[in-house]
Amino acid sequence: MAGIGCVSSSSSGLKLKQSKESMFQYNGLKAVETLQFKLHNLLSSAAKCRGVKTMASQTISSPKRETDPKKRIVITGMGLVSVFGNDIDTFYNKLLDGVSGITPIDRFDASEYSVRFGGQIRDFTSKGYIDGKNDRRLDDCWRYCLVAGRRALDDASLGKEVLDTMDKTRIGVLVGSGMGGITSFSNGVEALIQKGYKKMSPFFIPYSITNMGSALLAIDTGLMGPNYSISTACATANYCFSSAANHIRRGDADIMVAGGTEAAVTATGVGGFIACRALSQRNDEPQKASRPWDKNRDGFVIGEGAGVLIMESLEHAMKRGANIVAEYLGGATTCDAHHMTDPRSDGLGVSSCILKSLEDAGVSPEEVNYVNAHATSTLAGDLAEVNAIKKVFKNTSEIKMNGTKSMIGHGLGAAGGLEAIATIKAINTGWLHPTINQYDLETDVDIDTVPNVKKQHEINVAISNSFGFGGHNSVVVFAPFKP
């Protein structure tokens, strides 16, 4: 792991060096967060890694996973809203078939825009989940959140009748958004400019702020446990999963409803990302625009939706006889501390985040054999992520890595939620969806990216990566549940 690197930055004058204690410091000064990776605990022998082939390594004690059923965290329900609809099996089958959900935008007049396509959700219905009056008022961001959240609760056999028999102060909600109610915000500003403040909607503030998804879901279901929102751009959902898990581990809650939601395929959202030159401009072939790791990629494709997990202590899940679909082993968050939109080219922030997530999970690098990558199809981001992965996993011959965004676009704050569901479905089905639009792979990408066609793969341990503007990094670790 020493290969995580001794690099220097001439612009900052700071040099990264490794001390004898494996403490990464900047010229002896304490960094924003001292990165003590405890490499001896991470580099366990291949013989102790449940039969997964790997490189030879020194025989050292294996990392220890959590055994306390009060602190072990399992996934008992999933819910989503996506470009492929609201049903999880339909969503994953479309991914397995390599179907692109990217289409021309018709929600607003994009004819004069330099980017005129995206992962726009069509024919969305909230019937059975939101009453008509509220449905007409709500920003799509919160409509997606309520439907995904309620569907996740139903999937976990936690419908209203069951919830009414439970201690709702022990059930929390943590669903974040990168941009919040952007339609409500845009409409409010337009009303202010054109008609004056007296014509602004009384819902302008409540439906714009990013905490409202968690709040509305709690109001709708009566859940009174920990409740707030995290907003870390495209890393949001994974941040929410990590924080939700910590609430359960600390004993604050037995169940957490966690994930991300976003509805930014709007004039403001698309226009803003065009302005910062982040989007692909492949208007003549939108379904081929998102092409992670391809040499001809030219930016990400904006998407939207929501992805929510029901995270529950193993003890609580067993007591109520819940159906367990996977285990959450751990997670971590770090910051690049580098640039508002560009990743560190050396991948240090990402590699440290992966290592910290594995340490939190009690997993050695050799145990991981699947990566659901962030893989946005941007020039710098795709390779920075691969560089980081290769620093952590010295032998990638047994690892498979794919990019969900190649088919559904980049859901921003919802991306990690949708990709966590894809990761868990891969664990459950034994099938990995392809990364589509792989025509001319970057030479440095020598990991199996499941190009264009699905593959069977028995997952031992999986990680799901999400990174956001501001240098926010987040990694979560899932595995098949084994009592």
Side-chain angles (χ1 to χ4, degrees), residues 63-66 249 328-331 355-364 367 461 476-478:
K64 293 183 179 180
R65 298 189 191 178
E66 183 61 67
R249 287 171 172 172
Y328 170 92
L329 296 180
L355 283 166
K356 287 163 75 73
S357 75
L358 298 182
E359 182 180 355
D360 185 57
V363 167
S364 64
E367 293 180 83
V461 175
V476 289
V477 186
F478 297 102

Side-chain angles (χ1 to χ4, degrees), residues 215-237:
L216 290 172
L217 189 52
I219 291 167
D220 189 45
T221 56
L223 303 181
M224 298 175 66
N227 188 294
Y228 56 100
S229 169
I230 293 174
S231 184
T232 46
C234 308
T236 290

Side-chain angles (χ1 to χ4, degrees), residues 15 52 56 70 83 111 125 135 168 171 177 179 206 220 275 280 330 334 359 375 392 399 453 483:
K15 294 183 178 179
V52 177
K70 293 182 179 180
V83 71
S111 59
T125 176
D135 191 50
K168 294 183 181 179
I171 307 175
S177 174
M179 302 180 74
D220 189 45
S280 168
T334 64
E359 182 180 355
V392 175
I399 290 179
V453 179

Side-chain angles (χ1 to χ4, degrees), residues 138-155:
L138 283 172
D139 190 283
D140 279 347
C141 189
W142 313 134
R143 296 171 77 218
Y144 298 165
C145 172
L146 286 170
V147 171
R150 287 278 302 278
R151 290 182 70 90
L153 287 166
D154 288 345
D155 189 50

